Amino acid sequence: MKQLNYIVGRLLQIIPVLFFVTVLIFMMIHLIPGDPAETILGDKATVEQLTILRHQMGLDRPLVEQYLLFLKNLGTLNLGDSFIYHVPVTDLLANRVPVTIALTIMSTIFGALIAFPMGYFAAFNKDRAFDQGVRVWTLIALTMPGFWIALLLMLLFGLKLHWFPVGGLGEGLFGKFYSLILPAFTQALGLSALWTRNLRNNVVDVLRMDYVDFAKSKGLRDRVVIVRHVLRNALISTVTLMAMSFTRMLGGSVITETVFALPGVGKLMVDSIFARDYGIIQAITFIFALLVMVMNLATDISYSFLDPRVKLE
Amino acid sequence: MEPATAPNAAGDLAPAPAPATASARVKRKSIPFWRKSLALNLGIIIVAFVFFVGFFPGLIAPYNPNTQNADLMLQAPSAAHILGTDNYGRDILSRVIWATRADLQIGLIGTAIPFVFGTLVGLLAGYYGGVIDQILMRLVDIVVAFPFIVLVIAIIAFLGPGIYNLYMAISLVGWVPYARIIRGEVLVAKNLDYVSAARVLGYSDWRIILRHILPNVLSSSIVYTAADVVFCMLAGASMGFLGLGVQPPTPEWGQAISEGRVFIARAWWLSTFPGFALVFVGTGFSLLGDGLSDLLRTKGR
């Protein structure tokens, strides 16, 4: 029952944020220096063309009316046609959002596969060579730009060893999965460093706890102590950090998709900038915000089940 | 006030006279800061070196970074051109060295403006609370509803590419962590005795905020700036890579990596070396940040 109250309250909290997010995205069109219609059509546009486009974009109406129109279009998914692909934006996005989400999920799994063993063994070998090595690695990995790693991986595994495709999305389920391996690994490297560091410190802290000594002195086997008492407690905060990293992972996908020529929303956003397709940029910015808000909501709600003490702020 | 009895070196309580505490204090002070943290030392050395390169690239670079030479296109690393040459025959080492200026600038300006603005927001929200706090914190909620890089890209998309719009975008987005850190610290500090005392003395709000609270809440956000420099530099390089940041011919690492992309199969050195420069500088600032937080922690104990 308490959980239900929490969930309802948390959902209500989203409404004002969602409203202002749409206001912010709407206002972006007015960041364009000068007249948006002139910027889109270029110098050669005639006065008639400008007037027509201004009318189409609703720029000749009062600001509030413009906003309501924007909201209506966003809500009814009536986003017009893409300048680049000449198909409805909605169809384009429907094909591309799954690619970005698949990339993000795969990156998270790869990141966990790298971070969990590394952080765990580093903690159990605290201050020994392995721990020092992990420390140096995480320090460096956190400063490596994703697009650079992407190029180096592409060079090594794509061009030299021919293990993976250099870019693009493969055919069929396996082909798609296969072509996402290198991009996902790219994204996983940087974030796994953050997670490794966090897990290592958590395990070190938990190992100092009295309840671990107590569990050992009860005569429990080492494996039971580690799995049930140490790992379980150390992982809670790392998993929270991983959920928070979701936002960064989504942001990174813009760059990773561009380097690997993956047809996701991130690449579409970058392509649309150069095509001056402002409508798509607004729609994609909104989709990213929506994904972040849904993920944060899911994290908070699942957390309320894990730890019944959480309260609404 | 020092208690009359203080634990001595052995750790047991003895009726220690005042001189013992005094000498203990002197002893603790006499450990110079550079012996406390290896990370800090390394960080300071690297960052100082990077600043030197950023301010005087001409003293170190062997060639002019913009001199093109059609006879020397895409030369592999050699004795004359240690890191090779690019598709215009320009010396890569010289370009990497000159690019330090642009990237360091992005890191520093991209940190400084949000630091000032975020600190101000945090101070106001934390000190006044109530409606002001509500409004400012909802603003924070809106900004954090977007991935950092997506909001930066979106703003630049509408403002147009270029270095000044990059600063504008980072400034609009990057103040949030500072506002959050400072607000949290102010909430604690404003109830401490010295602040109450200042209020009783009838000082103005601004005097209390700036003279009494600010100096005591700054340390954790200063530690955060070191990580933020790395973060902004990477964001700036990413924008350069996408063609939305520093525009050619001004050398910038992200843009250089992007230019080398086309030639990656036959001339790996174009994209590889600017990346190492980013990692080197980033590691320097990260070490500095780690060292500063080590120092802060030992001070706290």
Side-chain angles (χ1 to χ4, degrees):
Chain A
M1 205 49 224
K2 263 179 92 181
Q3 262 97 352
L4 193 71
N5 282 340
Y6 175 82
I7 293 168
V8 172
R10 187 67 182 69
L11 276 170
L12 288 176
Q13 264 187 349
I14 279 200
I15 295 170
V17 177
L18 198 61
F19 169 70
F20 284 111
V21 161
T22 56
V23 172
L24 182 74
I25 294 173
F26 163 71
M27 292 306 285
M28 280 178 176
I29 199 92
H30 296 279
L31 280 177
I32 301 174
D35 182 4
E38 262 173 51
T39 313
I40 291 169
L41 291 175
D43 301 333
K44 289 174 195 138
T46 61
V47 182
E48 288 83 52
Q49 282 174 318
L50 285 174
T51 322
I52 292 169
L53 186 66
R54 271 190 212 121
H55 183 72
Q56 272 177 358
M57 293 174 73
L59 291 171
D60 51 357
R61 288 186 233 180
L63 214 57
V64 178
E65 227 172 279
Q66 281 184 40
Y67 171 71
L68 290 176
L69 184 73
F70 169 77
L71 214 56
K72 191 184 144 215
N73 289 342
L74 210 59
T76 55
L77 293 170
N78 173 21
L79 299 166
D81 286 1
S82 153
F83 289 8
I84 315 173
Y85 300 97
H86 305 288
V87 292
V89 172
T90 321
D91 297 354
L92 207 56
L93 289 176
N95 289 326
R96 287 179 173 240
V97 172
V99 177
T100 303
I101 292 180
L103 175 63
T104 308
I105 293 172
M106 269 179 75
S107 312
T108 309
I109 294 170
F110 284 11
L113 287 177
I114 301 170
F116 287 180
M118 259 176 126
Y120 174 81
F121 285 114
F124 276 90
N125 294 294
K126 188 169 170 285
D127 295 328
R128 290 202 211 127
F130 183 77
D131 184 32
Q132 302 287 2
V134 166
R135 199 177 289 177
V136 173
W137 159 249
T138 54
L139 186 77
I140 294 172
L142 278 172
T143 65
M144 294 191 300
F147 53 90
W148 182 65
I149 297 296
L151 282 177
L152 294 189
L153 290 176
M154 210 187 251
L155 180 67
L156 181 64
F157 294 107
L159 293 167
K160 299 272 182 230
L161 298 171
H162 300 288
W163 288 0
F164 295 100
V166 177
L169 194 66
E171 290 294 316
L173 199 64
F174 181 75
K176 287 193 169 96
F177 169 78
Y178 195 61
S179 58
L180 283 176
I181 290 179
L182 224 44
F185 190 63
T186 304
Q187 299 231 78
L189 269 187
L191 280 169
S192 69
L194 199 69
W195 302 344
T196 305
R197 215 185 223 205
N198 180 273
L199 183 64
R200 178 216 172 257
N201 293 343
N202 289 340
V203 173
V204 167
D205 286 346
V206 171
L207 282 175
R208 283 204 206 105
M209 293 287 172
D210 289 341
Y211 60 74
V212 174
D213 285 338
F214 181 69
K216 275 188 204 152
S217 54
K218 266 201 306 196
L220 290 180
R221 272 176 302 140
D222 278 358
R223 242 185 69 193
V224 178
V225 175
I226 287 167
V227 173
R228 278 236 226 112
H229 297 266
V230 178
L231 268 189
R232 204 170 148 189
N233 284 298
L235 275 177
I236 289 179
S237 123
T238 305
V239 171
T240 314
L241 177 72
M242 286 171 67
M244 287 181 346
S245 309
F246 176 79
T247 313
R248 243 176 91 176
M249 196 90 86
L250 271 182
S253 73
V254 178
I255 311 224
T256 313
E257 283 171 12
T258 307
V259 183
F260 284 100
L262 288 173
V265 267
K267 181 165 191 307
L268 182 62
M269 184 177 191
V270 174
D271 291 343
S272 305
I273 294 174
F274 294 105
R276 296 206 169 143
D277 197 341
Y278 296 112
I280 292 205
I281 300 172
Q282 284 176 310
I284 291 175
T285 312
F286 181 69
I287 286 175
F288 274 118
L290 211 57
L291 287 172
V292 170
M293 280 189 276
V294 168
M295 184 64 188
N296 287 346
L297 186 72
T299 312
D300 283 357
I301 289 176
S302 54
Y303 213 79
S304 79
F305 285 100
L306 283 177
D307 185 350
R309 287 168 303 179
V310 296
K311 273 200 200 111
L312 277 175
E313 212 183 290
Chain B
M1 282 286 112
E2 287 291 329
T5 53
N8 64 13
D12 47 23
L13 277 173
T21 6
S23 76
R25 209 188 282 158
V26 169
K27 222 178 184 176
R28 219 167 76 193
K29 263 196 174 166
S30 69
I31 302 174
F33 73 90
W34 60 83
R35 297 217 0 222
K36 279 187 186 157
S37 167
L38 175 69
L40 187 67
N41 298 339
L42 272 172
I44 289 175
I45 293 171
I46 295 178
V47 170
F49 175 70
V50 171
F51 268 87
F52 179 76
V53 175
F55 277 104
F56 309 107
L59 290 180
I60 308 165
Y63 299 94
N64 182 318
N66 290 321
T67 305
Q68 304 187 1
N69 189 338
D71 299 332
L72 290 172
M73 285 191 325
L74 298 176
Q75 299 268 309
S78 64
H81 298 277
I82 300 170
L83 305 184
T85 61
D86 70 5
N87 49 319
Y88 294 107
R90 297 176 296 193
D91 180 54
I92 290 179
L93 177 62
S94 305
R95 285 191 70 75
V96 167
I97 289 173
W98 275 87
T100 312
R101 182 170 274 183
D103 285 270
L104 188 63
Q105 211 177 335
I106 295 172
L108 295 178
I109 296 179
T111 302
I113 302 173
F115 174 74
V116 173
F117 184 57
T119 302
L120 199 67
V121 169
L123 284 171
L124 291 176
Y127 187 79
Y128 288 108
V131 184
I132 296 178
D133 186 35
Q134 283 289 324
I135 294 173
L136 291 173
M137 287 304 111
R138 289 297 84 81
L139 209 60
V140 166
D141 287 344
I142 295 162
V143 175
V144 296
F146 298 92
F148 177 86
I149 212 88
V150 168
L151 198 49
V152 168
I153 291 176
I155 294 172
I156 294 178
F158 288 97
L159 286 174
I163 184 86
Y164 290 104
N165 291 340
L166 173 68
Y167 291 145
M168 181 80 92
I170 291 182
S171 305
L172 285 172
V173 184
W175 55 274
V176 167
Y178 296 104
R180 284 180 151 178
I181 296 171
I182 294 279
R183 176 181 174 268
E185 303 247 333
V186 171
L187 286 180
V188 177
K190 77 171 176 183
N191 293 320
L192 295 180
D193 286 345
Y194 65 85
V195 177
S196 312
R199 229 180 263 139
V200 170
L201 284 169
Y203 291 160
S204 70
D205 282 355
W206 275 111
R207 180 164 176 173
I208 295 173
I209 290 175
L210 293 179
R211 297 277 298 274
H212 299 265
I213 293 182
L214 184 63
N216 292 297
V217 297
L218 266 184
S219 50
S220 22
S221 57
I222 288 177
V223 169
Y224 182 77
T225 55
D228 202 24
V229 170
V230 182
F231 194 63
C232 289
M233 220 171 56
L234 288 177
S238 304
M239 292 305 112
F241 180 80
L242 294 176
L244 301 172
V246 175
Q247 300 296 310
T250 311
E252 192 275 323
W253 293 323
Q255 176 218 98
I257 293 170
S258 169
E259 282 174 1
R261 219 173 127 191
V262 191
F263 306 98
I264 190 88
R266 52 193 175 120
W268 55 270
W269 50 92
L270 262 66
S271 291
T272 308
F273 293 120
F276 279 119
L278 267 168
V279 171
F280 177 72
V281 177
T283 306
F285 277 99
S286 298
L287 282 167
L288 185 67
D290 288 357
L292 282 176
S293 69
D294 284 350
L295 217 60
L296 211 68
R297 238 179 293 145
T298 41
K299 208 175 115 192
R301 264 177 205 152

